[in-house]
Amino acid sequence: KGPKYSIKKFFLFIPWVALLSPAGFAQKIEPKTIDSLLALLKKAKDDSTKLNLYVAIIHGHVNYKPQEGLAYEQAALALAQKLNSKTGTARIIHKIGRIYWRMGNFKEALKNHFEALDIYTQAGNKQNEGNVMVAIGQDYLDNGKYDEAMTYLSKALQISKEVSDTITMATACD
């Protein structure tokens, strides 16, 4: 018997990991993509699709004009509340935390990330808990607080192993 996975499948898996990883996705967003998302947002009904568009737009601004991404926070949070979407609320708060991280405002980044973590913890959403813990670790790391960073990156690694989230495992070790 040969190996369980072929080399071809392995090389097909790599682009998916890069595409779906938080850092890889954010770097691929271009102004044209954000413009396209904004055009869709104008036509969208107040439903989960529109909420997902807000999340994508805010996420796209993490590495492209982060200050502009903050302009969508209130409308996105209002829609999440209207839809009674706790997960949507947490996703928006997490992305806003990433914008503050990109801007170097680690205090606000941590505030948002801990708020998102609390919502995910209450909902029992372990996978997203791990994702937010990676962000918290990165906030601390980039702020020079290495012990705190290691604490949260270790917790993220542990949780991601529990839920078999290989992308978050890799990100926590990065």
Side-chain angles (χ1 to χ4, degrees), residues 26-27 60 95 128 133 153 169 171:
Q27 293 170 356
K95 298 304 177 193
N128 284 327
M133 284 186 187
L153 292 171
M169 275 188 250
T171 308

Side-chain angles (χ1 to χ4, degrees), residues 69-85:
L70 294 174
Y72 301 96
E73 177 182 15
Q74 294 307 313
L77 288 172
L79 179 59
Q81 184 175 17
K82 178 181 177 181
L83 298 175
N84 196 28
S85 175

Side-chain angles (χ1 to χ4, degrees), residues 23 98 101-102 106 132-144 149 152-153 171:
R98 296 302 289 164
W101 161 79
R102 174 58 67 194
F106 303 117
V132 175
M133 284 186 187
V134 167
I136 291 170
Q138 190 168 25
D139 295 342
Y140 280 129
L141 185 66
D142 291 346
N143 198 24
Y152 280 92
L153 292 171
T171 308

